[in-house]
Amino acid sequence: MPESPPPLADRFSLDGHIGFLLRRAHQRHAAIFLDAAADVGLTPTQFAALARTVELGRVTQNLLGRLVAMDPATIQGVVRRLTARGLIARTHDPLDRRTAVLAPTAAGLALVDAAVACARRAHDTALAPLSDEERRTLIALLQKMV
Amino acid sequence: MPESPPPLADRFSLDGHIGFLLRRAHQRHAAIFLDAAADVGLTPTQFAALARTVELGRVTQNLLGRLVAMDPATIQGVVRRLTARGLIARTHDPLDRRTAVLAPTAAGLALVDAAVACARRAHDTALAPLSDEERRTLIALLQKMV
DNA sequence: GATGAATTGTTCGTATTCGAATGACCGGAG
DNA sequence: CTCCGGTCATTCGAATACGAACAATTCATC
């Protein structure tokens, strides 16, 4: 008689799979961030791009994409929505007419402070189940992993 | 004279923000998984839904969505693609004509073993920068967080 | 049995995310 | 100067991901 294989749950646990955990943790933070930043109207992705642009003052679209880990195709859409809202401005480098040079506008600079406050709240809320020590450990391990 | 505000980088570090780290870690695992599972042709999301369906044997679409943390609108598309590939089958419960009852097909059961092997490889590759102890810690902290 | 609330699944719109292809442009090799 | 590889930005298609609206159905209450 043929032996029936052991059930999948005995061979693999989706809930211990790093990809599944990262997806759920990322999802959870995104939901918390969108709630915390509802008044400033920024998504986590848009916030990252805006914050990095403010950090740098002036940056090409392509470099910005690399510094926030976004594909050229992705950063294009994010920058389009941020410029449409008047938070960053697009100019062109006359010495390299391929590039789009980005800089925060006055509105962008004015918004980024409130946005940072929202990001801090989302950070703390998302990490609420962990102690301070655990938070530092988690962040260090994620930084080591990426 | 008005004081100029301190630079953003002194007030906020995107690279220490849990949302940014989770987004990048999730991104990295997804890329690794897609590479490891290229031969079985499953995305991480599709794998999660298929694995959970195999675990349960029979499950409604809505419950499956909750068990893999997917919106009703999201699980609908994932299930549509899995059924189109003949990996899971949709029937209907005559006692509740709202629900769509899902079950793995023979092809789905046959594919899930190879897919689990790919998931294991992706798991190990994504966690390669960490020691065994660090991996356990990271997974435990993520499980505590979500 | 009727009626209103809750559940299930679908569809639409918007926002990431990436691979692939394309066009414009820069730089160096000859 | 010309050609050619590399870079930059854009576009398209496909796959998540979610809010909102909707129809069909079930359930609880009257």
Side-chain angles (χ1 to χ4, degrees):
Chain A
M1 68 200 299
E3 270 191 50
S4 68
L8 179 61
D10 293 345
R11 289 176 291 139
F12 179 77
S13 169
L14 190 58
D15 304 283
H17 184 60
I18 187 66
F20 188 62
L21 287 169
L22 287 172
R23 178 172 149 272
R24 287 204 295 151
H26 175 243
Q27 232 173 63
R28 175 160 178 274
H29 174 273
I32 290 171
F33 186 100
L34 286 175
D35 182 65
D39 48 332
V40 298
L42 288 177
T43 65
T45 305
Q46 292 166 3
F47 167 71
L50 176 61
R52 200 65 106 192
T53 304
V54 171
E55 269 181 23
L56 300 171
R58 259 175 69 90
V59 62
T60 64
Q61 180 171 304
N62 196 274
L63 178 58
L64 175 62
R66 281 197 293 270
L67 295 176
V68 290
M70 294 180 204
D71 213 62
T74 302
I75 194 67
Q76 192 270 339
V78 176
V79 165
R80 177 164 43 80
R81 283 180 278 276
L82 288 176
T83 44
R85 278 190 57 189
L87 300 177
I88 64 178
R90 278 180 63 129
T91 57
H92 286 280
D93 185 350
L95 279 80
D96 189 344
R97 290 187 305 177
R98 296 170 301 178
T99 64
V101 180
L102 309 177
T105 63
L109 287 170
L111 190 68
V112 85
D113 289 322
V116 164
C118 296
R120 277 194 223 282
R121 282 203 306 275
H123 179 93
D124 289 338
T125 304
L127 293 176
L130 305 184
S131 69
D132 284 358
E133 172 73 19
E134 288 172 329
R135 297 181 191 197
R136 281 191 295 272
T137 304
L138 175 61
I139 289 172
L141 290 176
L142 287 173
Q143 284 172 335
K144 194 169 179 180
M145 179 187 159
V146 293
Chain B
M1 72 202 293
E3 272 191 47
S4 68
L8 180 61
D10 293 345
R11 289 176 291 138
F12 180 77
S13 170
L14 191 57
D15 304 283
H17 184 61
I18 187 64
F20 188 63
L21 288 169
L22 287 172
R23 177 172 149 270
R24 286 204 295 152
H26 175 242
Q27 229 173 65
R28 175 159 178 273
H29 174 272
I32 292 171
F33 186 100
L34 285 174
D35 182 64
D39 47 332
V40 299
L42 288 178
T43 65
T45 304
Q46 291 167 2
F47 168 72
L50 176 61
R52 200 65 106 189
T53 304
V54 171
E55 269 182 23
L56 300 172
R58 260 174 68 90
V59 62
T60 64
Q61 178 171 304
N62 196 275
L63 179 58
L64 175 62
R66 282 197 292 270
L67 293 175
V68 290
M70 295 180 204
D71 212 65
T74 303
I75 194 66
Q76 191 269 341
V78 176
V79 165
R80 178 164 42 80
R81 284 180 279 276
L82 289 176
T83 43
R85 279 190 57 188
L87 300 177
I88 64 178
R90 276 179 65 128
T91 57
H92 285 282
D93 185 349
L95 277 74
D96 189 343
R97 292 187 303 179
R98 295 171 302 178
T99 64
V101 179
L102 311 176
T105 64
L109 287 170
L111 189 67
V112 84
D113 290 322
V116 164
C118 297
R120 277 193 223 282
R121 283 202 308 275
H123 179 92
D124 288 339
T125 305
L127 293 176
L130 304 185
S131 70
D132 285 358
E133 173 72 19
E134 289 172 328
R135 297 181 192 199
R136 281 190 295 273
T137 303
L138 175 62
I139 289 172
L141 289 177
L142 287 174
Q143 284 174 335
K144 194 169 178 179
M145 178 187 160
V146 294

